[in-house]
Amino acid sequence: MKRPLVLLLAVLAAALGAAAALALTTMVGGVFKLKSSTIVPGAGTASGGAYTHSYTMGALQAVPMTGGGLTLTPGPLGAVRGARDTNDAAHAFPIPFEPARGHVALTFTQLSAEAAIDVYTVSGERVKRLKKFDPTDQYVWTPVANERGERLASGVYIFVVNSPGQKPRRGKIMVIR
């Protein structure tokens, strides 16, 4: 009979010096992978025995490991929202899109899992077709360029989001060079 895998996970809160949070998770078998928000010296895979790690504001110690593995790798912790059922609230940001102010991408958000986003000039010429097939609610358009790879000229553009079985969602984008 396998003993349960018990994992103590200390996570530093990122906002304004908030205190560290502590979570207790029980897992039997399988593999647990964690992307850390800080570079963790000695991070790696542990299987069987105990995994010990400590850092400045908290500790992750004596974690019994049986029937699986723990992988801890450096990288950002991120929360992503799941895809929406409809595109009724879909929109883009930042508006206006201003590369001179450091903007490098336009983000379409509140999208369903499968979406085609067509961007048009106000005269109706299609500038770009973007396709999204993932379980999140966002699509990041970078570089913001037409089908030929040329950056968009200053002006107002119309976008139309289409998804199977849904009515199209229209919106506007403004580009200021």
Side-chain angles (χ1 to χ4, degrees):
M1 180 173 177
K2 291 184 179 180
R3 294 180 307 186
L5 171 67
V6 179
L7 174 65
L8 285 178
L9 170 64
V11 179
L12 291 175
L16 302 172
L22 187 63
L24 174 65
T25 305
T26 301
M27 184 174 116
V28 178
V31 175
F32 182 82
K33 291 185 179 184
L34 173 68
K35 196 161 248 199
S36 171
S37 61
T38 59
I39 295 176
V40 180
T45 303
S47 59
Y51 178 75
T52 304
H53 172 72
S54 61
Y55 55 90
T56 310
M57 293 186 68
L60 180 62
Q61 297 179 351
V63 180
M65 301 287 293
T66 59
L70 169 71
T71 303
L72 185 63
T73 56
L77 279 176
V80 291
R81 292 187 309 240
R84 306 298 179 164
D85 293 331
T86 69
N87 295 316
D88 293 345
H91 62 280
F93 66 89
I95 302 297
F97 174 75
E98 296 182 77
R101 294 184 77 186
H103 299 165
V104 295
L106 263 167
T107 301
F108 294 89
T109 190
Q110 298 195 23
L111 300 170
S112 59
E114 182 179 340
I117 305 163
D118 291 307
V119 180
Y120 298 93
T121 63
V122 290
S123 63
E125 178 185 344
R126 187 168 77 193
V127 174
K128 184 77 171 184
R129 169 167 274 187
L130 309 165
K131 293 185 179 182
K132 175 193 170 311
F133 298 97
D134 67 45
T136 69
D137 80 331
Q138 292 189 345
Y139 181 89
V140 178
W141 181 18
T142 185
V144 179
N146 65 18
E147 297 288 0
R148 296 180 302 277
E150 303 162 340
R151 63 186 198 164
L152 299 187
S154 292
V156 175
Y157 296 84
I158 309 298
F159 70 86
V160 180
V161 180
N162 286 296
S163 292
Q166 296 184 37
K167 63 179 181 158
R169 168 72 173 174
R170 291 171 176 76
K172 294 179 184 173
I173 299 168
M174 180 183 284
V175 176
I176 299 176
R177 288 274 163 211

